[in-house]
Amino acid sequence: MVRRASTAPAPGHIDVTRSPPARGRRASRRGCAMARSTTAVLEPHEIALIRGGRRAAVTVAVLDLHLRGVVRAGRKGTMRTSGPATGAALPPLTGAVHAALYRPAGMSQLLERQGVRAALAEARDALVSAGLLRTFPPGRTGAARRSLKELRDRHPLPADRAGLPAGEILLAVALYGDRALTALVPRFTREAGLTGRGGTTERELPGASCGSGGGVSCGSV
C-alpha cells in the first residue's frame, strides 16, 4: 500500500518522490489533493507493478510468502500454501495471494482468482492516486520512470543470494524481474513455474487486464 513517509522505511520499502504535473497537464482527481512534492513509501510488489504489470507484482507477493516459509512449489509448476502466515502483517496483495493459494494454482490461474484481481486493482488505484501510474493512456508517469531508474542505480542486480536479507531479495526481483529470480531463487522459480514455459515477470502483452474486469490494460505499465 502506498503510504506517506513519516519514518525511515523498513528494508524493501522505498521512498519515491512524486514530481508535480507539468504545466497544462491535468492531475488525477484523487492525486491532485497531494502536496506538490510528496514522498510515497512503496512495497516491493508495488514497484514490480509499476515496472512489469500485474504478473510481476503477484510474483513478488508469491516470493514474499515463500521466503516467509508459507508457500512452496507444488506439482507441475504450481504453488500452494504450506502453513498460516504469522509474524509481520502481510501487505494486502500478499495476503490475497496467500488466501488464494488454499488450492494449488499455477501463475495464470492465480492471476484470475477474484481476491487477487481485487487486490491488484486496489494497488493500481493507489499508484494512480500517487501520480506513478496513468489510467489513460495506461502506463507509467514520468515520475515513475525516473524513480525506477534511480532505484536501479542505487540497487544494482546482486550476483547471488549470499547474505541478502529477504527485503533485498524482494526488491531485486521487483526491479529486475526474471534475471533476479533466476539468479537469487532458481530452484523455486523453476519448480513453481515463475519463468520459462510458466511465463515471465517482464512487461505483459497488451490486453492483460489490471483490474477486476475494468478492462484497463497493464501492457504499457
Side-chain angles (χ1 to χ4, degrees), residues 57-75:
V58 171
T59 296
V60 169
V62 166
L63 183 57
D64 185 356
L65 292 165
H66 174 67
L67 295 175
R68 293 171 187 254
V70 297
V71 160
R72 62 185 178 183
R75 299 175 61 183

Side-chain angles (χ1 to χ4, degrees), residues 144-210:
R145 290 191 294 272
R146 289 190 296 273
S147 295
L148 286 175
K149 182 181 184 303
E150 291 168 4
L151 285 168
R152 290 190 182 108
D153 289 344
R154 285 158 43 196
H155 302 275
L157 176 64
D160 56 51
R161 184 174 169 177
L164 283 182
E168 291 297 324
I169 295 171
L170 294 176
L171 178 58
V173 173
L175 288 172
Y176 298 102
D178 290 359
R179 288 185 293 159
L181 283 170
T182 54
L184 304 179
V185 280
R187 180 175 178 179
F188 178 69
T189 294
R190 181 178 62 254
E191 293 178 350
L194 298 182
T195 61
R197 294 182 63 185
T200 178
T201 65
E202 304 309 316
R203 189 176 301 179
E204 296 181 354
L205 296 174
S209 174
C210 244

Side-chain angles (χ1 to χ4, degrees), residues 5-216:
S6 56
T7 58
H13 292 196
I14 305 304
D15 288 351
V16 178
T17 300
R18 173 183 180 243
S19 299
R23 182 173 297 178
R25 185 178 300 170
R26 293 185 63 189
S28 68
R29 180 171 298 179
R30 293 175 65 186
C32 67
M34 299 177 68
R36 288 183 61 82
S37 179
T38 300
T39 300
V41 180
L42 299 182
E43 300 278 357
H45 71 268
E46 292 171 320
I47 296 170
L49 182 57
I50 293 169
R51 178 192 60 79
R54 62 178 194 156
R55 184 184 180 110
V58 171
T59 296
V60 169
V62 166
L63 183 57
D64 185 356
L65 292 165
H66 174 67
L67 295 175
R68 293 171 187 254
V70 297
V71 160
R72 62 185 178 183
R75 299 175 61 183
K76 297 181 179 179
T78 63
M79 299 158 280
R80 63 187 181 90
T81 55
S82 55
T86 59
L90 299 177
L93 177 61
T94 307
V97 168
H98 185 260
L101 286 175
Y102 72 96
R103 286 184 293 124
M107 182 59 75
S108 60
Q109 295 171 303
L110 181 59
L111 285 165
E112 295 306 314
R113 292 191 171 169
Q114 184 176 0
V116 174
R117 288 170 62 89
L120 282 167
E122 181 179 349
R124 190 176 194 282
D125 286 347
L127 292 170
V128 169
S129 295
L132 297 170
L133 290 180
R134 300 188 308 269
T135 55
F136 185 80
R140 306 181 192 102
T141 64
R145 290 191 294 272
R146 289 190 296 273
S147 295
L148 286 175
K149 182 181 184 303
E150 291 168 4
L151 285 168
R152 290 190 182 108
D153 289 344
R154 285 158 43 196
H155 302 275
L157 176 64
D160 56 51
R161 184 174 169 177
L164 283 182
E168 291 297 324
I169 295 171
L170 294 176
L171 178 58
V173 173
L175 288 172
Y176 298 102
D178 290 359
R179 288 185 293 159
L181 283 170
T182 54
L184 304 179
V185 280
R187 180 175 178 179
F188 178 69
T189 294
R190 181 178 62 254
E191 293 178 350
L194 298 182
T195 61
R197 294 182 63 185
T200 178
T201 65
E202 304 309 316
R203 189 176 301 179
E204 296 181 354
L205 296 174
S209 174
C210 244
S212 53
V216 178

